[in-house]
Amino acid sequence: MKKKKVLFTGLGLLIALSGIFLAAFNHYSKEEKKDLTPSETITTVHKLAKDGDIEGTKVYMDDDILKGFEKGTYWSGTYPDFILEYAEKTKFVSPIEKSLVITGESATIDVKITYMDLSEETKKYVLVKETGIWKIAN
C-alpha cells in the first residue's frame, strides 16, 4: 500500500512540475513577442506569411491596416488573399538596420525585398507601437 502512495505522490509532483514548466514557457513565449524590434517585427511577419499563418501576421499589423481591408479601402481583395499573395511573390526581406529611426512610438526603416524572380527593391516601412508591440503601419 505504501508503494502505491509513494508512486501516486511522485506522479502528482511530476504532473505539477510539468504544469509549472509549461506555464512558465508559455509566459516566456508571449513576452518574447512584445520585445521584438521593428526589424524583427518585419522579418517575423515575413516568416508567418510564408508559413501561411494569417492570424499570426495580424498580431503585427496596425489596426488601421486591418480595418482598411474590412472596409475595402486598401487592396481590392481580402487580408488573407493579400498576405498569401505577398508570401507567394517574396523570397526574402532584409531590414537595413542603419536606416532605422525610432521616434517615440513610431519607427521607420528601409527594407530590401527580394522577389521570387530575384528582382529587388527597397521600401520604407513605417511601424507604430501599439499595446507594447511594434506593428507595421504601411
Side-chain angles (χ1 to χ4, degrees):
M1 203 61 152
K2 274 190 168 185
K3 287 184 179 181
K4 283 186 179 179
K5 191 174 186 178
V6 170
L7 180 64
F8 285 124
T9 301
L11 191 57
L13 281 172
L14 183 61
I15 291 170
L17 288 173
S18 296
I20 291 169
F21 173 75
L22 288 173
F25 179 75
N26 190 31
H27 176 72
Y28 174 77
S29 295
K30 287 181 181 176
E31 289 301 314
E32 193 175 343
K33 285 183 181 177
K34 292 183 181 181
D35 295 333
L36 294 181
T37 65
S39 298
E40 292 169 333
T41 298
I42 292 164
T43 55
T44 297
V45 168
H46 177 77
K47 181 184 181 326
L48 291 168
K50 288 293 198 181
D51 292 344
D53 186 352
I54 306 301
E55 293 304 311
T57 64
K58 287 181 178 180
V59 170
Y60 301 103
M61 290 293 170
D62 178 55
D63 291 340
D64 290 339
I65 288 177
L66 297 175
K67 287 176 188 172
F69 276 102
E70 289 172 12
K71 295 178 182 179
T73 57
Y74 284 108
W75 189 71
S76 61
T78 65
Y79 179 78
D81 291 339
F82 169 76
I83 288 298
L84 293 174
E85 183 176 311
Y86 163 84
E88 186 179 298
K89 288 183 176 182
T90 59
K91 188 168 185 140
F92 303 111
V93 293
S94 303
I96 302 169
E97 291 295 331
K98 66 182 179 183
S99 69
L100 176 63
V101 176
I102 298 175
T103 309
E105 300 292 302
S106 65
T108 60
I109 188 167
D110 293 332
V111 178
K112 181 179 166 184
I113 302 167
T114 305
Y115 295 100
M116 289 300 193
D117 65 1
L118 300 181
S119 64
E120 297 176 340
E121 75 174 310
T122 301
K123 288 186 176 182
K124 184 173 293 296
Y125 277 58
V126 177
L127 296 96
V128 294
K129 201 162 201 179
E130 292 179 0
T131 61
I133 300 172
W134 285 106
K135 295 187 176 193
I136 298 173
N138 76 334

